[in-house]
């Protein structure tokens, strides 16, 4: 998949309208998506993205469990479709993601991703 450049951006809405990019990461470097432990605060909405280059981890908090499921499904789907691999999933089960996400976000599941309860 060298023909694609997939990036993940964070952006800030500008007061005068429009957006300013704050940070950018390459999806090809996303190797692991991790949910908090069962007893942790925000266990259903928080998730951590681990990148290999540069080696760094970023904590994200979705507005709801269905939103987190949708975001994680989209990230895994993009990696599978364009890069041919999926990030490792820890604390996130693909079947429970499908159950939590809106019904139009269903997929076949990650290929080659390690899902752990």
């Amino acid at each position: 998949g060298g023909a694609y450049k997939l990036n993940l951006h964070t952006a800030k809405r500008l007061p005068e309208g429009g957006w300013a990019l704050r940070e950018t990461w390459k999806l090809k470097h996303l190797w692991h998506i991790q949910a908090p432990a069962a007893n942790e605060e925000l266990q259903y909405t928080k998730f951590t993205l681990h990148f290999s280059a540069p080696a760094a981890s970023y904590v994200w908090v979705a507005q709801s469990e269905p939103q987190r499921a949708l975001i994680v499904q989209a990230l895994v789907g993009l990696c599978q479709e364009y890069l041919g691999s999926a990030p490792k999933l820890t604390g996130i089960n693909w079947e429970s993601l499908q159950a939590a996400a809106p019904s139009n976000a269903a997929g076949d599941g990650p290929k080659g991703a390690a899902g752990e309860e």
Side-chain angles (χ1 to χ4, degrees), residues 1-9 25-31 33 49 51 69-87 89 94 97 105-111 113:
Y4 298 100
K5 289 185 180 181
L6 296 176
N7 294 319
L8 178 65
H9 303 284
W25 303 274
K26 290 180 174 18
L27 275 189
K28 70 180 181 180
H29 295 147
L30 175 61
W31 71 273
I33 302 174
L49 301 180
F51 292 87
L70 196 62
I71 292 168
V72 172
Q73 278 188 333
L75 288 170
V76 170
L78 286 168
C79 289
Q80 283 181 192
E81 183 174 349
Y82 293 102
L83 304 173
S85 64
L89 300 177
W94 186 256
L97 266 186
D108 292 332
K111 296 167 184 64

Side-chain angles (χ1 to χ4, degrees), residues 26-91:
K26 290 180 174 18
L27 275 189
K28 70 180 181 180
H29 295 147
L30 175 61
W31 71 273
H32 186 192
I33 302 174
Q34 180 178 15
N39 58 352
E40 243 183 274
E41 189 179 357
L42 302 172
Q43 75 177 82
Y44 297 110
T45 54
K46 187 165 88 171
F47 59 103
T48 304
L49 301 180
H50 299 278
F51 292 87
S52 59
S57 298
Y58 300 92
V59 175
W60 299 61
V61 179
Q63 293 177 346
S64 64
E65 184 177 8
Q67 185 189 59
R68 180 182 79 173
L70 196 62
I71 292 168
V72 172
Q73 278 188 333
L75 288 170
V76 170
L78 286 168
C79 289
Q80 283 181 192
E81 183 174 349
Y82 293 102
L83 304 173
S85 64
K88 174 183 175 183
L89 300 177
T90 300

Side-chain angles (χ1 to χ4, degrees), residues 6-25:
L6 296 176
N7 294 319
L8 178 65
H9 303 284
T10 56
K12 180 179 180 181
R13 186 180 292 276
L14 300 172
E16 63 273 13
W19 296 87
L21 292 182
R22 299 182 68 165
E23 294 188 74
T24 299
W25 303 274

